[in-house]
Amino acid sequence: MDSDIPLIYGLEFQTRALSAQTAETDIVRFLVGTQSLEFANNQVHLVELNEETNGLKTQVFQHSIGEIWSLQASPTESALFITCYNSLNDKGICQMKGALWKLPEIKEYTNDNIQLDMVAEIDTTEYGTDLKTITYHPMDGTKAVSVVDNYFALWDLNGSKPQVTVSGKLSGKGLPRFINGKWNPHNGCNHFVTLHENNIQGWDLRTPSVPSWVIPSAHSQIIRDLDFNANRQYFLSTCGDDGYMKFWDIRVPDEPVLSRMEHSHWVWSIRINRCHDQLVLTSSSDSRVILYSVASISSEPYGHIVSPEDDNGQGDEACSKEKLEDGVVGRYEEHEDSVYAVEWSSADPWTFASLSYDGRLVINKVPRKYKYQILL
């Protein structure tokens, strides 16, 4: 795939749910969920990048029970994923629900719309109506956490009926509600982090009665998303309606370690590259995707470490070529509507996808100039 040429895939319906097929580490694949107001018309699209032909292969599956607001693939089984969807209940009222799904085996891609297999419903109605996300444990596909109203709940997904094993509640005046949440991949994955208005709370799932740490007023407006640096234990990133992306060391919550504003409107999604954490993606309702370098706070602030066998006798000169400065690496403007989601591929750390509300999926690669600057 030529790094300068984006690949664009158009869907018939509006979209905002995107996930890399996390358990697939050999082939670049993404899952996309639609938001048709005709609930029976909703779909999940499996999109695969063919590196040899520089083209896309796609398969459509029917998700006929409602519009998809959130979608996440299993970290351990490529065929499994979870959706949070809006559906009509028996009284004709819209209600958010969650479900675990399994993709049928595909021997070849076709133009057929294939029916999905629902493995189990994840019934979160006990905790409220405003289901925001159900997010998998980073390494255990049998565990997930749901975020509903002012509750989060840890689910055991084994068996035909998922069960709650631990739950926690955000207390406060005016019925506070969570906006989003994500697992902390460090510390044995015992911590979960939630967003409430412009505040960040860290919860220990072993003792979830009160937050174990808080970053109050982290942004001046609502925080939309967060992500952890998989290679630095205490570092996380946030983005929000103030247009900023910020990076935090949770041990020193008073000030962000880095703050940048490059978008002109709300920032909906932020993702740190799992392999090369110098690279960070954001997407915004200004219709843009921006790729940044944050090398100064990465796990390799001085560039890729060159071994004596690799430097070919160039010594310090070889090392000096590796340093990547902080700043914007690329601006991507293939979208014409709000870009609600951006994700790195789990199979290729240089490939990423972005998804806008008008049903446009765009697959790009990190420019070769910066790729070589990091690697060589």
Side-chain angles (χ1 to χ4, degrees), residues 205-366:
L205 294 174
R206 295 164 296 188
T207 55
S209 55
V210 293
S212 55
W213 55 266
V214 176
I215 303 178
S217 302
H219 286 247
S220 62
Q221 298 181 46
I222 291 174
I223 307 175
R224 295 293 175 181
D225 197 17
L226 76 155
D227 197 24
F228 276 88
N229 186 327
N231 304 314
R232 297 200 70 183
Q233 181 174 353
Y234 300 104
F235 280 67
L236 64 83
S237 60
T238 55
C239 63
D241 288 3
D242 56 4
Y244 277 90
M245 71 166 186
K246 296 185 179 183
F247 295 83
W248 304 88
D249 182 338
I250 61 176
R251 298 167 299 180
V252 189
D254 296 336
E255 294 288 341
V257 294
L258 180 66
S259 179
R260 291 189 66 103
M261 182 180 180
E262 298 290 345
H263 289 285
S264 60
H265 209 262
W266 302 343
V267 186
W268 283 93
S269 183
I270 187 165
R271 292 293 181 269
I272 302 173
N273 192 295
R274 293 294 181 261
C275 298
H276 308 291
D277 54 21
Q278 303 97 321
L279 300 174
V280 179
L281 289 165
T282 58
S283 65
S284 166
S285 44
D286 65 5
S287 305
R288 293 180 177 88
V289 174
I290 296 181
L291 174 63
Y292 306 85
S293 164
V294 292
S296 64
I297 59 170
S298 72
S299 59
E300 295 180 344
Y302 304 109
H304 180 65
I305 298 174
V306 181
S307 67
E309 292 80 8
D310 294 335
D311 70 7
N312 296 320
Q314 298 178 59
D316 293 340
E317 181 182 355
C319 292
S320 67
K321 293 179 181 179
E322 301 306 324
K323 186 173 181 180
L324 187 65
E325 301 292 336
D326 287 2
V328 174
V329 171
R331 299 179 190 270
Y332 302 89
E333 300 188 0
E334 293 87 12
H335 294 282
E336 298 177 355
D337 206 338
S338 295
V339 189
Y340 283 123
V342 65
E343 293 286 350
W344 291 102
S345 166
S346 57
D348 177 12
W350 309 108
T351 301
F352 60 92
S354 53
L355 182 69
S356 53
Y357 190 58
D358 56 2
R360 179 175 296 185
L361 176 74
V362 181
I363 296 179
N364 273 293
K365 283 209 170 187
V366 174

Side-chain angles (χ1 to χ4, degrees), residues 7 48 67 78 103 140 144 150 175 182 214 241 266 336 356:
L7 295 178
E48 176 180 319
E67 53 178 357
S78 59
L103 295 170
D140 186 347
N150 61 330
L175 297 176
K182 181 165 286 190
V214 176
D241 288 3
W266 302 343
E336 298 177 355
S356 53

Side-chain angles (χ1 to χ4, degrees), residues 7 9 21 24 26-31 45-51 53-59 106 109 361 363:
L7 295 178
Y9 174 63
Q21 194 177 38
E24 176 56 69
D26 295 325
I27 303 171
V28 175
R29 286 181 181 152
F30 295 95
L31 294 169
H45 291 238
L46 176 63
V47 181
E48 176 180 319
L49 171 63
N50 187 325
E51 295 277 6
T53 64
N54 193 35
L56 298 176
K57 297 191 293 184
T58 62
Q59 183 64 61
I106 304 173
Y109 289 84
L361 176 74
I363 296 179

Side-chain angles (χ1 to χ4, degrees), residues 127 148-152 168-171 175-178:
Y127 300 98
V148 189
D149 286 354
N150 61 330
Y151 285 91
F152 62 89
K169 180 181 180 181
L170 176 67
S171 301
L175 297 176
R177 291 189 174 190
F178 291 125

